[in-house]
Amino acid sequence: MHWITRFSAFFSAALAMILLSPSLQSFSPAAAIRSSHPYADEFKPQQNSDYSSFRESPMFRNAEQCRSSGEDSGVCNPNLVHVAITLDIDYLRGSIAAVNSILQHSMCPQSVFFHFLVSSESQNLESLIRSTFPKLTNLKIYYFAPETVQSLISSSVRQALEQPLNYARNYLADLLEPCVKRVIYLDSDLVVVDDIVKLWKTGLGQRTIGAPEYCHANFTKYFTGGFWSDKRFNGTFKGRNPCYFNTGVMVIDLKKWRQFRFTKRIEKWMEIQKMERIYELGSLPPFLLVFAGHVAPISHRWNQHGLGGDNVRGSCRDLHSGPVSLLHWSGSGKPWLRLDSKLPCPLDTLWAPYDLYKHSH
């Protein structure tokens, strides 16, 4: 395996070329691609809010075998694949790259409906999205009022994790139309390199959400010592086999979510957190408290997460072994910032082909 380490940059570039090929829907990377970065720990980029200029995306059309996208029947058409993603200035470049990647790898791109969540009415994000994707008719902007959750948010290890829009996923069942029974929620710092319909068709059984689970992760670290020493709190996991899962990629049964009022359950844990300080990490722990041990497992290929490094320093990471359908730069390091700094991690080159920001080329 020494040859992989020695020539990591070459293989990262080769994988990027694979992603660019429309004939390839996914790929199986080498078991380990070394992505250590000599300056990553010192690099602390400033967020760039000047995202007013994006290139127009390429045209995408459904293949002949696709069912009618039903554009005239709107969001309630049963043939649509529903994807929810947030839009804000700091992560807009990432969101646009994510949408571009989904369209590029979808056999039926005109059958994907994008639900964009925003928390500021003053930002003219809809016109920007429509000008960047002029042929994308299946989209809608949803305003998520920050005050809905502001009073429930506790301080976290990283300020970005405290933004109200991070919690919009908790309210999808309320924000989206009642006719939308299922949705894929995606973070803004990822790219999809496979046909999204494969994720859409994932069977959830009796579960409300599906996500890749990581049962070998140290689950106890997501909660404080006070949580684990108090039966009032840790008793919630009694009779469950809780595993860590990343909330940046989820398939959600909105019908069940509404039926069992899961938003209220999440809010209850956030209220307890305000009084007792039972966790340190943003919007993830309430999801773990409600769903861990009750998640429909999805293949790990659908969330190669952690590519942004840890939540403080953003150091470079390697790919996990196995095939890849989705690359996720969770953590503090974002590929567009590192690429602009001219100090990218090797795997950041896999994100670059989907970037539509004009000033980046």
Side-chain angles (χ1 to χ4, degrees), residues 236-247:
T236 192
F237 293 124
K238 185 177 181 180
R240 294 159 63 178
N241 181 25
C243 295
Y244 163 74
F245 64 95
N246 180 280
T247 54

Side-chain angles (χ1 to χ4, degrees), residues 17 52 112 150 218 257 266 324 329:
M17 292 303 296
S52 60
V112 181
Q150 190 76 63
N218 180 8
W257 186 292
I266 290 174
V324 177
W329 279 261

Side-chain angles (χ1 to χ4, degrees), residues 22-281:
S23 64
L24 296 174
Q25 298 299 318
S26 61
F27 60 92
S28 298
I33 298 181
R34 182 64 56 196
S35 58
S36 58
H37 191 282
Y39 307 110
D41 290 341
E42 289 75 22
F43 174 53
K44 297 181 179 180
Q46 298 296 316
Q47 293 285 357
N48 186 347
S49 61
D50 180 20
Y51 293 136
S52 60
S53 185
F54 288 84
R55 301 192 310 282
E56 185 176 309
S57 72
M59 177 59 188
F60 299 94
R61 293 186 181 277
N62 281 0
E64 291 184 3
Q65 58 266 48
C66 297
R67 294 184 178 182
S68 171
S69 62
E71 294 176 2
D72 294 338
S73 59
V75 67
C76 294
N77 185 279
N79 295 326
L80 295 174
V81 172
H82 296 276
V83 176
I85 191 168
T86 59
L87 294 178
D88 66 54
I89 288 298
D90 288 339
Y91 286 83
L92 182 59
R93 191 165 160 189
S95 297
I96 287 177
V99 172
N100 189 29
S101 71
I102 292 169
L103 294 172
Q104 179 166 323
H105 290 279
S106 176
M107 182 178 292
C108 305
Q110 292 173 297
S111 299
V112 181
F113 195 105
F114 290 94
H115 304 263
F116 293 112
L117 313 175
V118 303
S119 62
S120 175
E121 293 178 306
S122 63
Q123 298 170 359
N124 195 9
L125 295 176
E126 181 171 2
S127 62
L128 191 152
I129 289 292
R130 291 191 182 278
S131 64
T132 305
F133 300 98
K135 302 300 182 181
L136 182 61
T137 58
N138 286 331
L139 70 89
K140 184 175 178 179
I141 305 293
Y142 299 78
Y143 175 66
F144 175 67
E147 57 268 23
T148 303
V149 73
Q150 190 76 63
S151 63
L152 295 172
I153 297 176
S154 302
S155 60
S156 182
V157 295
R158 185 158 56 91
Q159 188 175 6
L161 300 177
E162 301 170 21
Q163 300 306 310
L165 199 57
N166 285 339
Y167 295 83
R169 73 195 83 185
N170 303 359
Y171 298 89
L172 285 170
D174 300 322
L175 291 168
L176 273 54
E177 289 78 359
C179 65
V180 180
K181 302 296 195 298
R182 170 183 283 220
V183 68
I184 298 171
Y185 176 82
L186 297 177
D187 273 351
S188 300
D189 51 359
L190 55 79
V191 292
V192 177
V193 294
D194 203 344
D195 196 329
I196 195 72
V197 74
K198 297 178 184 177
L199 180 59
W200 174 254
K201 291 181 177 179
T202 298
L204 300 184
Q206 298 301 310
R207 304 304 191 189
T208 301
I209 70 170
E213 290 186 296
Y214 302 89
C215 294
H216 296 296
N218 180 8
F219 190 80
T220 61
K221 72 178 182 179
Y222 294 102
F223 303 95
T224 64
F227 172 89
W228 292 113
S229 63
D230 194 325
K231 291 184 179 179
R232 294 178 300 160
F233 305 140
N234 63 51
T236 192
F237 293 124
K238 185 177 181 180
R240 294 159 63 178
N241 181 25
C243 295
Y244 163 74
F245 64 95
N246 180 280
T247 54
V249 179
M250 296 185 291
V251 181
I252 305 174
D253 184 326
L254 292 176
K255 184 177 180 180
K256 285 192 176 73
W257 186 292
R258 295 173 180 126
Q259 178 182 354
F260 295 104
R261 298 170 59 84
F262 281 115
T263 296
K264 293 298 182 183
R265 300 189 192 188
I266 290 174
E267 287 181 335
K268 182 61 178 179
W269 280 112
M270 294 177 70
E271 291 170 358
I272 293 173
Q273 161 72 355
K274 294 287 284 189
M275 296 182 292
E276 303 285 350
R277 195 68 184 180
I278 57 175
Y279 55 81
E280 303 289 347
L281 192 63

Side-chain angles (χ1 to χ4, degrees), residues 7-23:
F7 297 108
S8 61
F10 172 80
F11 280 98
S12 292
L15 287 177
M17 292 303 296
I18 292 175
L19 297 189
L20 282 168
S21 173
S23 64

